[in-house]
Amino acid sequence: MKITKAMTAAALTLCLCACSSREIHVSPDIQLEASVIPYPQQFDLHKGALYLDNSLIVLSKDFEDRTLAVTRDFANQLSECTSSQVEVKTFCCIPCKGASLTIAYDDELPDEAYEIKVDESGATVKSSSHNGVLYALATLRQMLPPAIYSSEASDAEFAIPFCEIQDSPAYSYRGVMLDCARHFFPVENVKRLLDAMAAYKLNRFHWHLTDDQGWRIESKKYPKLTEVGSMRSGTMVGRDWNSDDHIPHGGYYTQEQLREVVDYAWKLGITIVPEIDLPGHMVAALASYPELGCTGGPYEVLKVWGISDQVLCAGKDETYRFLDEVLCEVADIFPGELFHIGGDECPKVEWEKCPHCQAKIAELGLVDKDGVSAEQYLQNYVTHHVQKTLASKGKRIIGWDEITEGELDKGVAVMFWRGWLPVEKTLGKYTADGYDVIMTPTSYFYIDYLQSEDMDSEPVGFQSVLTIDKMYSFDLTKGLSPEQLSHIKGVQANLWAEYVSTWEHAEYMLFPRLFALSCIAWDGDERPDFESFMGEVKSHQFPVLDNWGYNYRNR
């Protein structure tokens, strides 16, 4: 289409007419403070403030529909809290006269990066992506009074300071894992976590959907997975391994609900990484389809935590048919590239005795070598099989670091969780072999661990401690070369739910440690000292959580 001068003039007139009824409200003489977590890469505060009540937000048409949606959500929040009318308009000829906030497309900025400038003429955001705009709005929201996180009207002055910000993340993968297999959390709880993740610029949700204690994802081809595998008859009480509360516990997500959550996360710039843990941690599946095991059962969905010797039989053809059909079914629901296959804590006790597994070992010519058993090489074969299956669906597999034992094909990503030192002999091995790595070592990122050395002051849980200062001290660069560091794609905090049975407890375990994760993931090693960080958390982020209605550890 040819653009004429007359058409350009008409478009400009339309833009100015639509916007000219608004006036930008500023106070150049006041000095506001600002608290933003994670810390922007460059943040220059100036004297003066811009008020965002009764304002106009203008968004470039170059952005996606979901970007318009999150911008309108921001405007609606402002409208509710200020009891005023905040409008959103889209134009191709921005900046637009009368706009308090202009969101402009800049294709020279990297993905997820953004720039903000606030002065007498208003606020301008520049970005090249949906996530960049999302994070810019998250930063602006944090510079407003904490009441912005409440749905109720407030008499606070909704002003942001004059400033200049240039910001981008240190790592592309910034994740949180939620275990919904040990205890089931409804969709509304999952969405609440996604909201918090987006607010603090986290972009990967690792969803642990299956384990020995429950299968939480609907399968149309294998309906017994939820008819049987989603429900256990009771749960151990506290840390008493011989106890049973005799209270049935279960629940699962329908495929429709899963797609609903996928869409919700996509709007928030979050990609979901589903996990089907295999070939171990599969007792719930074996209880549903006993023929998939080495012994044929009987099996029962586990009521206790820990590691079971009962695993999928790696010697039966029906096992591979089951894996192919279920994994492809799940892959069709989740559009992200990564698919987590677990691979951890798979005892080989049954495989050593199983005639089917031993026949498969003989067929493949597997033998003990280099200190690795033939049974471990058999697990490598299972990994290789599901890697090919998921590759046919456009997926790349990621697994816990046990998948590297024995032999591993190229193209796999590794989630490093066991231990931390010496780095050169553990993490260094994976990066030297060229595997992309997500860092989630237990001693720094397992947020099911208690938050205080005074264990009696904490809710019942796993008997290890991860204080927020220990988490914040994580140093990713220790012992690694620049080439090895190039394979570190990000970090992730894991909330296992053996002892977390309510969403109130889950929120307590998340906060305030999620703030530390956010800074590590976004800022990398260029972050303020711990005392400054905690000062920001207590002065501003705790009031944010109060207004948002989150439960958290405040001591």
Side-chain angles (χ1 to χ4, degrees):
M1 177 180 178
K2 185 177 180 180
I3 306 297
T4 66
K5 289 184 178 180
M7 292 170 66
T8 303
L12 182 60
T13 301
L14 175 62
C15 176
L16 294 178
C17 289
C19 300
S20 59
S21 61
R22 296 282 180 172
E23 292 185 0
I24 299 173
H25 179 196
V26 298
S27 292
D29 298 326
I30 65 172
Q31 182 71 61
L32 294 180
E33 296 181 353
S35 173
V36 178
I37 287 181
Y39 298 94
Q41 192 176 81
Q42 181 177 329
F43 191 0
D44 298 319
L45 274 175
H46 305 300
K47 191 175 182 180
L50 168 70
Y51 291 82
L52 290 181
D53 56 318
N54 198 36
S55 58
L56 174 66
I57 300 173
V58 176
L59 175 72
S60 168
K61 283 186 175 179
D62 294 304
F63 290 107
E64 306 170 57
D65 289 343
R66 59 174 172 160
T67 313
L68 176 60
V70 298
T71 304
R72 283 177 171 158
D73 289 344
F74 178 69
N76 291 338
Q77 278 186 304
L78 281 170
S79 297
E80 290 177 354
C81 293
T82 61
S83 297
S84 66
Q85 186 180 22
V86 180
E87 291 185 86
V88 177
K89 294 184 180 294
T90 58
F91 291 97
C92 57
C93 50
I94 60 175
C96 193
K97 181 180 178 182
S100 298
L101 171 59
T102 298
I103 303 174
Y105 184 80
D106 187 342
D107 60 6
E108 294 186 0
L109 289 174
D111 183 42
E112 297 197 304
Y114 67 91
E115 295 180 356
I116 297 175
K117 184 175 182 180
V118 185
D119 57 21
E120 293 88 346
S121 62
T124 300
V125 165
K126 292 182 180 180
S127 181
S128 66
S129 66
H130 169 76
N131 278 27
V133 173
L134 184 77
Y135 301 147
L137 294 176
T139 294
L140 292 172
R141 190 179 284 111
Q142 285 197 47
M143 288 195 286
L144 291 164
I148 187 64
Y149 293 86
S150 171
S151 59
E152 299 179 358
S154 170
D155 58 3
E157 293 188 329
F158 284 81
I160 52 177
F162 289 176
C163 62
E164 292 180 66
I165 296 174
Q166 295 179 340
D167 203 11
S168 60
Y171 298 105
S172 59
Y173 187 112
R174 306 180 299 280
V176 175
M177 189 282 293
L178 179 64
D179 170 16
C180 292
R182 273 52 177 267
H183 282 99
F184 177 76
F185 298 110
V187 165
E188 58 265 26
N189 296 154
V190 176
K191 288 182 177 180
R192 188 161 168 82
L193 172 57
L194 294 172
D195 289 337
M197 289 176 61
Y200 295 98
K201 304 180 175 69
L202 301 167
N203 67 353
R204 295 292 189 278
F205 175 51
H206 174 182
W207 205 352
H208 188 78
L209 288 162
T210 69
D211 218 296
D212 295 325
Q213 296 81 12
W215 185 283
R216 308 294 177 212
I217 181 168
E218 179 190 27
S219 170
K220 304 291 189 182
K221 295 183 178 180
Y222 292 87
K224 289 182 181 179
L225 288 173
T226 49
E227 291 172 3
V228 176
S230 69
M231 181 66 66
R232 62 176 180 264
S233 62
T235 304
M236 62 181 283
V237 180
R239 289 185 293 274
D240 183 355
W241 294 83
N242 297 312
S243 63
D244 181 353
D245 65 7
H246 300 289
I247 301 172
H249 178 86
Y252 66 92
Y253 307 101
T254 66
Q255 292 192 9
E256 182 180 3
Q257 288 175 317
L258 293 168
R259 290 189 172 92
E260 175 189 343
V261 175
V262 166
D263 290 343
Y264 192 88
W266 180 75
K267 176 183 171 184
L268 296 176
I270 296 170
T271 301
I272 297 180
V273 181
E275 180 181 356
I276 304 296
D277 204 343
L278 63 95
H281 290 282
M282 270 280 179
V283 176
L286 296 178
S288 307
Y289 294 94
E291 64 273 18
L292 299 176
C294 291
T295 67
Y299 303 101
E300 180 185 8
V301 181
L302 290 193
K303 297 181 283 187
V304 297
W305 319 129
I307 303 171
S308 174
D309 289 340
Q310 298 174 322
V311 302
L312 286 177
C313 180
K316 295 179 178 177
D317 291 342
E318 54 260 51
T319 297
Y320 296 96
R321 184 164 55 250
F322 166 80
L323 290 175
D324 289 346
E325 292 178 342
V326 169
L327 293 178
C328 287
E329 194 175 6
V330 175
D332 286 338
I333 298 172
F334 297 94
E337 176 194 18
L338 290 177
F339 194 114
H340 207 298
I341 63 163
D344 61 313
E345 299 174 333
C346 179
K348 312 299 190 294
V349 176
E350 290 191 343
W351 289 3
E352 292 170 355
K353 303 174 183 178
C354 174
H356 301 286
C357 292
Q358 291 303 310
K360 177 63 73 173
I361 286 173
E363 174 192 333
L364 298 172
L366 304 178
V367 296
D368 297 356
K369 65 177 181 178
D370 301 327
V372 179
S373 70
E375 286 75 22
Q376 178 57 48
Y377 287 119
L378 181 59
Q379 181 172 347
N380 297 153
Y381 174 78
V382 175
T383 300
H384 172 73
H385 179 93
V386 299
Q387 182 180 8
K388 287 182 63 177
T389 296
L390 287 167
S392 72
K393 306 294 289 186
K395 305 298 181 185
R396 180 186 183 198
I397 66 169
I398 183 171
W400 303 110
D401 56 62
E402 285 99 325
I403 65 173
T404 65
E405 296 173 2
E407 297 176 347
L408 185 64
D409 294 338
K410 297 299 181 183
V412 176
V414 178
M415 197 161 274
F416 178 89
W417 75 277
R418 293 182 296 177
W420 177 233
L421 294 175
V423 176
E424 297 85 350
K425 293 182 180 180
T426 51
L427 176 63
K429 172 184 179 296
Y430 311 141
T431 54
D433 289 344
Y435 300 118
D436 286 343
V437 175
I438 307 302
M439 294 302 302
T440 177
T442 56
S443 51
Y444 289 94
F445 292 109
Y446 269 43
I447 56 175
D448 59 321
Y449 286 11
L450 304 181
Q451 300 193 64
S452 171
E453 298 287 352
D454 180 10
M455 294 186 180
D456 292 337
S457 68
E458 293 294 302
V460 64
F462 194 85
Q463 287 298 88
S464 291
V465 176
L466 174 58
T467 60
I468 189 170
D469 57 321
K470 172 71 178 295
M471 187 176 188
Y472 194 78
S473 71
F474 179 70
D475 180 4
L476 183 55
T477 63
K478 192 171 184 177
L480 297 178
S481 68
E483 167 62 23
Q484 290 174 326
L485 285 171
S486 70
H487 290 282
I488 308 297
K489 300 306 178 183
V491 296
Q492 176 176 289
N494 295 335
L495 181 53
W496 299 104
E498 287 94 337
Y499 300 101
V500 181
S501 61
T502 68
W503 190 247
E504 181 182 34
H505 189 180
E507 289 184 353
Y508 179 89
M509 303 305 282
L510 285 163
F511 288 106
R513 290 182 291 193
L514 196 74
F515 299 137
L517 170 71
S518 172
C519 291
I520 295 166
W522 186 270
D523 300 317
D525 295 322
E526 299 297 324
R527 55 185 185 270
D529 60 77
F530 178 71
E531 289 71 21
S532 299
F533 163 75
M534 280 307 297
E536 299 277 359
V537 167
K538 292 178 180 179
S539 65
H540 189 76
Q541 302 305 327
F542 282 174
V544 164
L545 295 178
D546 289 335
N547 277 273
W548 216 347
Y550 269 88
N551 185 42
Y552 62 96
R553 188 181 191 276
N554 61 1
R555 58 191 187 281

